[in-house]
Amino acid sequence: MSMSKTVDLAAHPLTVWQGPLGLPDFSRIGDNDFGPVFDAALAAHQAEIDAIAGNSEAPTVENTLAELELAGEALDHVSSIFWCRAGAHTNDTIQAMEREVSPKMSRHFSAISMNEKLFARIDDLYQRRDTLQLDAETLRVLEKTWKGFVRSGAKLDAEGKKRLAAINEELSSLGTKFGQNVLADERDWALFLDEADLAGLPDFLKSAMAEAAEMRGQKGRYAVTLSRSIYEPFSTFSERRDLREIAFKAFIMRGQNGGASDNTDVVRDMLKLRAEKAKLLGYGSFAALKLDDTMAKTPKAVHELLDPVWEKALEKAAADQKELERLAAEAGSNEKFAAWDWRFYQEKLRAEKFAFDEAELKPYLQLERVIEACFDVATRLFGITFEEKKGITAWHPDARVFVVKNADGSERGLFLADYFARPSKRSGAWMSALRSGYKLGDGAKPVIYNIMNFAKPPAGEAALLSVDEAKTLFHEFGHALHGMLTDVTWPSVSGTSVSRDFVELPSQLYEHWLTVPAVLEKHALHVKTGKPMPKALLDKMLAARTFGAGFATVEFTASALIDMAYHARPDAPAEPLRYEAETLEKLHMPDTIAMRHRTPHFGHIFAGDGYSAGYYSYMWSEVLDADAFSAFEETGDAFNPELAERLRKNIYAAGGSKDPEELYTAFRGKMPSPEAMMVKRGLV
């Protein structure tokens, strides 16, 4: 008898959420619970699908499309908790489960999208869509569902379906392996230092490194780790060139260190399978397949955005490098300027040009105050408020719970946030949902979460952020608002369920409010004195906003161009890492700047399918966000109520209920050109 028989889905804490505020009761969930519940939930979902597909009545929106959207609630519940744990607080048991469950889920959803009876019912509705008198959102959901089935192989012959399912399953396993390999390299590498090795390091960094060393059993020492919140400031401030070089090389070699955690073969196999998948589905390349459902539509359109930006970024970086080399020479360095020198001398140049350094800003950017600023801006723009509820158990003691309320006091949903780095958490920052908000059937309120990786301060000290980290907090909170403000009927177009190159608009746009002077004056208060950031420092910070644009744009755009190079070709390179090097050489990539994400740790495009052939999306959305924020600037009021309402309605609340161009145009009146973005970046 399989274990799944013994699971009561109607009573299990993974599927029936009876914790405080209607959250899962995390105190009753054990690491070993997931396996049997997944099996039972997959079986239950399959039974629902069979019932929909086998219904003898003629297909209607109610008995087919709506039933399909609402099916699998138990599976949604266990999945959302599991993937949260896999990213934010993993361990050997969870990782083993991840390796088991990824291919299982892939098999399960492949079978659904290739279910002939089910597709026949969807196809029947789709062919009759013009006679069904559907509202715009329902019509869009029907069209998206039909296209999703076709893109998932519904029209392939039996042999093709079988092969596609096998490809998807293998890709799913490889994506899991890729992510776990990077996590292993990040977890297992640390450079332990003593007091004598800390020349140039500011206090905030020393205390974060002391905390990281203690976490790794080396109390009394200091650890450089591969978490960006330690690696980047260390590279920026450490006067020890030899140590900067060691840290730099470890950082760019994640996933490429030989042995069990090496991703070289994983990437090769993934690219090969993706190319085969695209061909099977009738597309010229994997990029063509992935871009079919985006605003950009084609690799050509992506290059029309990226190529001119790349040229400008190269020019800017070359000019900047001359300045940095001058500073290095003045400091008495006669070594050839290298990639591990860039951040260090860029910080010195910033101090020379703008008479301040990052370390001077940090005391004004306390994590708690920046969180308050995020909430305050949301209240001023959209009328929603946040109230923290203490003492509620989530997936980790660091995770915090907030109730989100509408202006009239009614409950809108929940927001959870987990801010600090730890070895059990994958690097980076992200937003996700334990549950999406929608109105179909009985409806559901959104339960949204943000994950960050800020360095944890010693007990009793305030966590201080860099400007970049404060922006990241605003960015992920912008995604969270997209999930929380959603106001749609159908689950599949709720919140962030929009095209990949539109999804970054709400998040990147929100970053702009961090540097609105009124926001900084209120929330950027000195950690010791409580005084607001002096106007002179604020002005310097704002003046320096585009400083370092050459470096940042080369770093990002190189990654986006490599992503397209891999995926826009009809086949796959035999040796991807060699191909990466050759492509960068053709692009004239400076050897003094590394890609923001090199191939062996490029989780956006290889730890799953998320941003594959889609890393450009951040810049595509940036064209929109620069233009959208200028709408507010043009009115002279960053909180203009009429604009804020248009923004809420058409961007944050609309989800994927309409075409993104239509939504953007409803907000702004027209589509933008890339000029505003280039100006904002300081490239023009």
Side-chain angles (χ1 to χ4, degrees), residues 305-377:
L305 170 66
L306 293 178
D307 295 348
V309 173
W310 179 247
E311 291 310 317
K312 291 260 194 308
L314 283 182
E315 284 168 28
K316 184 89 183 71
D320 289 350
Q321 186 172 326
K322 284 201 171 68
E323 291 268 85
L324 302 183
E325 284 171 339
R326 168 183 68 77
L327 281 179
E330 284 170 12
S333 164
N334 45 18
E335 317 265 356
K336 183 180 181 311
F337 188 84
W340 46 92
D341 294 320
W342 195 294
R343 285 180 196 280
F344 180 73
Y345 285 108
Q346 181 162 278
E347 192 51 42
K348 299 257 181 281
L349 184 62
R350 185 209 311 265
E352 180 186 280
K353 278 196 163 171
F354 300 99
F356 81 98
D357 64 25
E358 268 284 352
E360 223 179 314
L361 288 172
K362 253 189 143 147
Y364 292 98
L365 296 171
Q366 301 172 59
L367 172 60
E368 287 308 312
R369 299 279 187 191
V370 180
I371 295 167
E372 277 173 32
C374 273
F375 292 168
D376 188 22
V377 170

Side-chain angles (χ1 to χ4, degrees), residues 185-200:
D185 276 8
E186 289 174 348
R187 185 190 60 218
D188 298 343
W189 190 91
L191 176 61
F192 292 104
L193 304 177
D194 296 306
E195 197 69 50
D197 306 314
L198 308 182

Side-chain angles (χ1 to χ4, degrees), residues 583-654:
T583 306
L584 290 174
E585 202 175 321
K586 278 188 199 135
L587 287 167
H588 307 297
M589 174 80 171
D591 61 0
T592 49
I593 302 180
M595 293 166 67
R596 186 157 180 84
H597 307 282
R598 281 197 56 242
T599 298
H601 51 258
F602 201 165
H604 284 79
I605 69 171
F606 292 117
D609 201 16
Y611 281 82
S612 53
Y615 194 63
Y616 77 91
S617 307
Y618 290 94
M619 191 168 279
W620 189 276
S621 294
E622 196 180 337
V623 172
L624 300 174
D625 83 63
D627 177 66
F629 192 69
S630 21
F632 284 89
E633 290 180 319
E634 285 159 17
T635 69
D637 176 7
F639 296 96
N640 182 293
E642 185 201 337
L643 264 183
E645 176 49 29
R646 281 219 306 268
L647 182 65
R648 184 198 63 76
K649 187 178 159 200
N650 298 299
I651 307 293
Y652 285 92

Side-chain angles (χ1 to χ4, degrees), residues 250-321:
F251 194 74
I252 66 160
M253 293 302 284
R254 288 169 296 150
Q256 196 191 341
N257 291 307
S261 64
D262 192 284
N263 274 328
T264 308
D265 294 349
V266 179
V267 168
R268 180 198 64 205
D269 295 349
M270 286 183 87
L271 290 172
K272 207 167 136 198
L273 288 164
R274 283 172 175 174
E276 187 189 345
K277 175 177 176 168
K279 199 170 178 181
L280 198 55
L281 290 167
Y283 289 88
S285 67
F286 186 72
L289 164 66
K290 281 296 294 271
L291 292 168
D292 191 25
D293 190 28
T294 60
M295 293 179 82
K297 307 277 190 286
T298 63
K300 183 172 173 281
V302 173
H303 276 286
E304 282 166 5
L305 170 66
L306 293 178
D307 295 348
V309 173
W310 179 247
E311 291 310 317
K312 291 260 194 308
L314 283 182
E315 284 168 28
K316 184 89 183 71
D320 289 350
Q321 186 172 326

